Amino acid sequence: MASLAGCPGGGRETETVPTERPPPETGTADGTATRSPVQTTTDAPSRFGTVVDITAVGGDPGGDEPVTDLIKRHAGDDTLIEFPAGTYALDRLSLTGLTNLGLRAVEGADVSLRPTRPSREIGPTLIDLTDMRNFLYEGIDLDFRQSGRGGMVHLLATDDFEFRNVRVRGRYPPDVTGFRFEVVTPKSAGIVENVRLSGGSIDGSDSVGIYVGHTHAGTLTIRDCVVENFPNNGVYASSPGRVDGLSGSNGPVHVLGGRFRNNNIANVRLGSTGSSVQNATIVVDEIPPKADGGLDPRGIRMRARRGQLVKNCDVRIKAPVPSCSGGIVVHSAAGRATVRNTSVHVNTDGVPAINALRPDNGQRGPILENVAITGSASTETAVDITERSGTRIRRSTIEQTGANRSGIRFVRSNDCLVADTRFQVTGDPIVATESNIVRRNLSLSDPAGGNSTD
């Protein structure tokens, strides 16, 4: 993890057209909701003044001759380079300072780029795109099935961009990250949509699935993506929220929909003010590949700043992992977060569904609304709140059927509320240590049957 803290180094699936959604809600410091800017992106080829067919200028769809120099030669402002069906060989590609450039598969074509050499020769970055404005990349897959071949795609945009409908085939070499995105101007927006990375990387690797760099200052939406089996975070989007020596630009990141499965450290990791995870499925049902820092496959992790929102998500911790900090974790450096209309299923003994760690600077506790916690986990507690005054838990359900499993544990937390919540646990429903808790309209179902009201 330390090396990435600032800068990380079969056939096509049927493409789907995501349903139009309203702009994402975002959390705020007091737990209310705001609206983020609407994405204003388009994939219409008519927006380009020049269209270049890569095969018409000598590109080899059989993959024998690299197309790197052809792309460099024809890439320009207001230009779309289209790729007919085929597999195209690629050396390291670097483009910079272009406006309204597109790299796009012909409609309906099965197109892949394949590295000409292993990453130890080309380097960890395969495609480097910097200072790009109104950039489009669509429908061109990455074929990394040959052993040792694979590289990061780095896109640093100074205006809006679109990156859509991309499948990575194969597994990443050790210490090679999948994608790095950042929009460095505050009023600009980028969208990463229907990107699928299922191969991950291997034990002991530092590979990340999707990384958001610390200079990200605009709005980034990661929509309907699949990220699986990475040892150092699936979506690593907390760097813009850094407040240390490499302070981040605090651009919000919204993860909308998608599946994130068996990624170590965190499946989804946020850190910018007002970021969100919505309508996503997060699953740990196998032991993920380990990073050098060990094994701790959290579901969702809030790592810095405050005001993040988790809404309409399904989080499941089912694998017998030897260590896991929780399904949803609020880190010590993070402030108030909101979890709403979300289910957290935990079968792994001793693992909390929600874990708000002792804060560094006295930040307020989380707001949990309409949260359903289920599963057969035993021992410890379903919800852990440590030194987080002001915690609010409303209209929720905590059902944990394993032995000696308590409901909510408060430690040195005052001005807290638990209301309109139902417990079915084998231990104590609420454990309060040096804490002040207001309880309203609570019900308890015990394993022997029968109900009681607090």
Side-chain angles (χ1 to χ4, degrees), residues 15-295:
E15 293 180 1
T16 59
V17 179
T19 303
E20 287 298 317
R21 297 189 179 94
E25 278 190 19
T26 63
T28 62
D30 62 0
T32 59
T34 60
R35 292 285 182 183
S36 69
V38 177
Q39 297 288 335
T40 56
T41 57
T42 175
D43 60 357
S46 59
R47 81 186 213 199
F48 301 98
T50 301
V51 178
V52 177
D53 181 327
I54 195 70
T55 60
V57 295
D60 176 12
D64 294 325
E65 294 296 326
V67 295
T68 315
D69 290 341
L70 288 173
I71 295 173
K72 291 179 180 179
R73 187 180 310 152
H74 293 279
D77 294 345
D78 201 26
T79 298
L80 174 66
I81 301 177
E82 286 199 314
F83 292 75
T87 298
Y88 298 84
L90 189 74
D91 286 315
R92 188 179 191 277
L93 174 65
S94 180
L95 300 172
T96 187
L98 296 172
T99 298
N100 199 29
L101 170 69
L103 304 176
R104 184 176 186 267
V106 170
E107 188 71 28
D110 189 344
V111 178
S112 294
L113 297 176
R114 185 173 62 203
T116 58
R117 294 171 290 153
S119 62
R120 66 178 181 272
E121 299 177 18
I122 293 179
T125 301
L126 179 65
I127 301 175
D128 193 11
L129 307 161
T130 57
D131 189 18
M132 306 301 281
R133 298 174 294 278
N134 296 322
F135 176 74
L136 169 68
Y137 185 105
E138 183 173 23
I140 303 174
D141 292 344
L142 300 170
D143 187 346
F144 297 158
R145 289 177 293 178
Q146 289 183 270
S147 179
R149 301 196 183 194
M152 180 172 69
V153 176
H154 179 204
L155 173 53
L156 188 152
T158 50
D159 205 336
D160 296 354
F161 79 82
E162 307 162 60
F163 197 96
R164 289 194 167 105
N165 302 332
V166 178
R167 180 181 181 182
V168 178
R169 303 168 69 183
R171 174 182 288 179
Y172 280 87
D175 304 327
V176 174
T177 283
F179 297 90
R180 174 172 174 163
F181 298 104
E182 47 214 310
V183 185
V184 300
T185 47
K187 293 184 179 180
S188 297
I191 183 165
V192 178
E193 185 172 50
N194 193 29
V195 173
R196 297 169 178 264
L197 307 87
S198 295
S201 191
I202 64 172
D203 265 347
S205 170
D206 221 14
S207 299
V208 178
I210 296 175
Y211 178 78
V212 183
H214 75 283
T215 60
H216 170 63
T219 299
L220 179 65
T221 299
I222 300 172
R223 176 182 287 167
D224 296 333
C225 293
V226 176
V227 184
E228 301 177 328
N229 303 309
F230 281 89
N232 189 3
N233 294 272
V235 174
Y236 189 151
S238 64
S239 291
R242 292 180 63 141
V243 292
D244 55 14
L246 193 63
S247 182
S249 298
N250 203 29
V253 178
H254 301 295
V255 178
L256 307 182
R259 183 177 74 248
F260 307 90
R261 177 173 172 264
N262 296 333
N263 298 290
N264 187 32
I265 309 301
N267 281 270
V268 176
R269 171 173 170 161
L270 301 177
S272 308
T273 303
S275 295
S276 69
V277 189
Q278 302 182 53
N279 305 301
T281 299
I282 293 98
V283 180
V284 179
D285 58 4
E286 296 178 358
I287 297 177
K290 296 184 288 294
D292 290 340
L295 185 68

Side-chain angles (χ1 to χ4, degrees), residues 243-443:
V243 292
D244 55 14
L246 193 63
S247 182
S249 298
N250 203 29
V253 178
H254 301 295
V255 178
L256 307 182
R259 183 177 74 248
F260 307 90
R261 177 173 172 264
N262 296 333
N263 298 290
N264 187 32
I265 309 301
N267 281 270
V268 176
R269 171 173 170 161
L270 301 177
S272 308
T273 303
S275 295
S276 69
V277 189
Q278 302 182 53
N279 305 301
T281 299
I282 293 98
V283 180
V284 179
D285 58 4
E286 296 178 358
I287 297 177
K290 296 184 288 294
D292 290 340
L295 185 68
D296 191 355
R298 306 164 182 91
I300 299 170
R301 186 187 190 195
M302 273 71 83
R303 181 59 180 81
R305 307 275 181 162
R306 61 181 180 174
Q308 288 102 20
L309 171 69
V310 177
K311 182 181 178 184
N312 295 333
C313 290
D314 181 12
V315 181
R316 306 174 212 160
I317 309 296
K318 301 163 65 176
V321 290
S323 174
C324 177
S325 298
I328 299 174
V329 178
V330 182
H331 188 267
S332 298
R336 166 160 279 181
T338 299
V339 182
R340 181 179 295 134
N341 302 340
T342 289
S343 63
V344 186
H345 186 88
V346 181
N347 287 349
T348 307
D349 295 345
V351 174
I354 297 175
N355 190 3
L357 300 173
R358 177 182 178 273
D360 293 337
N361 298 302
Q363 293 99 326
R364 303 281 283 176
I367 296 173
L368 312 182
E369 295 180 338
N370 195 28
V371 175
I373 297 173
T374 59
S376 61
S378 65
T379 70
E380 298 298 335
T381 311
V383 178
D384 264 337
I385 308 293
T386 303
E387 297 186 18
R388 295 273 181 170
S389 296
T391 295
R392 300 288 184 264
I393 302 174
R394 305 184 183 97
R395 299 184 299 278
S396 295
T397 302
I398 301 176
E399 298 178 356
Q400 295 274 264
T401 60
N404 302 313
R405 182 75 162 180
S406 293
I408 308 171
R409 176 166 53 202
F410 294 93
V411 178
R412 295 182 294 279
S413 300
N414 296 311
D415 183 30
C416 295
L417 170 70
V418 183
D420 305 311
T421 292
R422 182 172 62 86
F423 296 85
Q424 184 175 353
V425 294
T426 55
D428 295 321
I430 297 177
V431 178
T433 302
E434 300 179 40
S435 300
N436 179 265
I437 315 300
V438 175
R439 301 166 172 85
R440 294 178 182 163
N441 192 28
L442 308 184
S443 63

